[in-house]
Amino acid sequence: MSAHDSLDLVIRRADVVTASDRFRCDIGVRNGQIVALGHALPQGAREIDADGLLALPGGVDGHCHLDQPMPDGLRMADDFFTGTRAAVCGGTTTVIPFAAQEKGASLKAAVADYHRRAEGRAVIDYAFHLIVADPTPAVLADELPALIRKGYSSFKVYMTYDDLKLSDREMLSVLDVAKQNGALVMVHAENADCISWLTDKLVGEGRIAPRFHGLARPAAVEREATHRAITFAELVDVPILIVHVSGKEAIEQIRWAQGRGLQILAETCPQYLYLTADDMALPGDDGYEGAKCVCSPPPRDPENQAAVWRALTNGVFSVFSSDHAPFRYDDPQGKQPGGERPSFEHIPNGVPGIETRLPLLFDGVARGKLSLHQFVELTSWRPARLYGLYPRKGTIAIGADADIVLWDPNQRVQIRNSALHHAVDYTPYEGIEVTGWPVHCFSRGEMLVRDGQYQEPQAGRGQFLPAGAPMLG
Ligand code: URP
Ligand code: ZN
Ligand code: ZN
């Protein structure tokens, strides 16, 4: 290597783990990219000794909500600055939040607005999924195909929530656009009418505390919608990805479809491994504190948690995402809307988890539940491929961005909200002890976290990543 090939950064004695391989070498970085993997690399401008640490590709969080415009005076606590700061402190170096169309508005306008929210704020790289809430003829014929071509190759559709849900017919039309244009559709699968009927019944009986959220959205409601979404995908003959799968009933549907040879992909999230319905019944604030854990689909029970852990290792799930949906608890724009403690159906849905996603899953590696390669596959390699960012993201290879996390597999950490970097005033995982934590995190070769300490990089250094075609294999 000649002088003009000098390296900006050399990570020495790295124990590199990718989705498929494990090898020991030095990693050479120039201009933000990995340019050498080898032994005894020449001196770099900056040197880091990784002995005793794992070198993992930075996490890719394929499902998180940052600064997403909200109805009814609600507001997400994390914008692109605090959200990406928290992400990188937890070992994630790419995020893919959602540019959400409002009913009656254009999709292009949502994308333009979302770029304005990210620019100058993000500290790590980001792509956008779209949310298609109003598939008008113009959206289906023009806007959506044009956006797919411009680098927005995945979008989410909802089967529930009044302001977002699509009819069955609209679902079919949207899936057809995905098929014609090579996009990947992510589906929020819960049956809206069942939820509203159950909700009315519960509220009519005065059962309004946060814990009743779980009774309004039982597993059958998720199972039915999952099956229906699978049927739509089969009719249109297009792959789909079912997001935030909560337990065994939906898993059974997905396994059944996969067994029939359908390309049904699936995602789960930390809340379905670590929370149960009991967490929505936290006793504080006269039973209202359970609002902290209200999300949809809701957390279920230990048997379902075990089914979700199993499905992470037997191929049912392709990706493990945070579904970070950051609402502050003690906040009139958050979990106590307008300063009230309303009945469960008015509590904003979602839990924070962008920083704790990787440590919570890695603890499963430490406990022998999944392999290191499975961990990397679920949290980085597969989301990078599915969402059109591979091989720039999702692996440690020559030519890839130097998004690298040096991970201590033995560090024991008790999760405390006071130590996290999001702008939410709680974590649902308070007090949980995990083994394994990110020590140093690099984004395009820049060290954003050193010895677990955030290095205050320039806000706005994060770049938008136009997504290519989804890679399903
Ligand atoms: O409860 C949840 N998951 N809220 C976030 C929005 C969504 O549906 O993913
Ligand atoms: Zn959803
Ligand atoms: Zn979500």
Side-chain angles (χ1 to χ4, degrees), residues 63 65 156 244 323:
H63 181 164
H65 303 268
K156 184 173 176 188
H244 44 49
D323 192 8

Side-chain angles (χ1 to χ4, degrees), residues 291-377:
K292 290 179 176 175
C293 297
V294 163
C295 60
S296 295
R300 308 231 182 252
D301 63 14
E303 198 187 328
N304 279 285
Q305 289 180 330
V308 173
W309 276 111
R310 275 197 303 279
L312 281 166
T313 61
N314 65 15
V316 170
F317 290 125
S318 301
V319 288
F320 185 77
S321 315
S322 69
D323 192 8
H324 181 74
F327 296 102
R328 289 169 52 84
Y329 175 68
D330 194 5
D331 194 326
Q333 294 182 310
K335 293 282 184 179
Q336 304 188 46
E340 305 288 322
R341 291 182 178 162
S343 58
F344 66 84
E345 84 264 38
H346 300 299
I347 299 170
N349 284 196
V351 294
I354 205 164
E355 188 168 351
T356 44
R357 172 183 74 119
L358 295 179
L360 287 168
L361 187 65
F362 192 91
D363 192 67
V365 177
R367 286 189 283 141
K369 285 175 180 278
L370 72 165
S371 75
L372 260 176
H373 300 297
Q374 286 171 325
F375 172 82
V376 173
E377 176 169 346

Side-chain angles (χ1 to χ4, degrees), residues 173-407:
S173 301
V174 164
L175 290 183
D176 199 35
V177 173
K179 181 182 164 75
Q180 302 308 329
N181 294 274
L184 181 61
V185 182
M186 308 158 78
V187 181
H188 180 130
E190 290 184 296
N191 180 311
D193 280 338
C194 292
I195 293 168
S196 91
W197 183 80
L198 287 166
T199 299
D200 288 350
K201 197 159 153 29
L202 287 160
V203 172
E205 292 162 1
R207 302 164 90 193
I208 58 168
R211 66 195 162 93
F212 293 110
H213 175 80
L215 296 190
R217 307 175 102 100
V221 160
E222 183 186 2
R223 180 194 69 214
E224 185 281 330
T226 300
H227 185 90
R228 191 155 32 103
I230 289 167
T231 305
F232 300 156
E234 182 177 4
L235 290 176
V236 178
D237 186 23
V238 68
I240 56 168
L241 186 143
I242 310 282
V243 292
H244 44 49
V245 172
S246 74
K248 68 178 176 3
E249 301 228 9
I251 289 170
E252 279 164 8
Q253 298 303 310
I254 295 160
R255 275 184 81 92
W256 170 82
Q258 291 171 343
R260 284 162 59 97
L262 301 174
Q263 277 196 300
I264 305 299
L265 305 158
E267 169 205 83
T268 194
C269 315
Q271 49 269 39
Y272 306 115
L273 298 176
Y274 284 89
L275 304 181
T276 67
D278 287 349
D279 292 300
M280 291 182 291
L282 293 175
D285 287 339
D286 288 335
Y288 192 78
E289 203 189 343
K292 290 179 176 175
C293 297
V294 163
C295 60
S296 295
R300 308 231 182 252
D301 63 14
E303 198 187 328
N304 279 285
Q305 289 180 330
V308 173
W309 276 111
R310 275 197 303 279
L312 281 166
T313 61
N314 65 15
V316 170
F317 290 125
S318 301
V319 288
F320 185 77
S321 315
S322 69
D323 192 8
H324 181 74
F327 296 102
R328 289 169 52 84
Y329 175 68
D330 194 5
D331 194 326
Q333 294 182 310
K335 293 282 184 179
Q336 304 188 46
E340 305 288 322
R341 291 182 178 162
S343 58
F344 66 84
E345 84 264 38
H346 300 299
I347 299 170
N349 284 196
V351 294
I354 205 164
E355 188 168 351
T356 44
R357 172 183 74 119
L358 295 179
L360 287 168
L361 187 65
F362 192 91
D363 192 67
V365 177
R367 286 189 283 141
K369 285 175 180 278
L370 72 165
S371 75
L372 260 176
H373 300 297
Q374 286 171 325
F375 172 82
V376 173
E377 176 169 346
L378 288 158
T379 58
S380 177
W381 185 80
R382 185 71 72 179
R385 289 177 69 83
L386 287 179
Y387 302 128
L389 305 179
Y390 187 85
R392 181 168 173 190
K393 307 294 186 186
T395 194
I396 293 180
I398 290 176
D401 280 357
D403 287 11
I404 299 166
V405 176
L406 299 181
W407 188 280

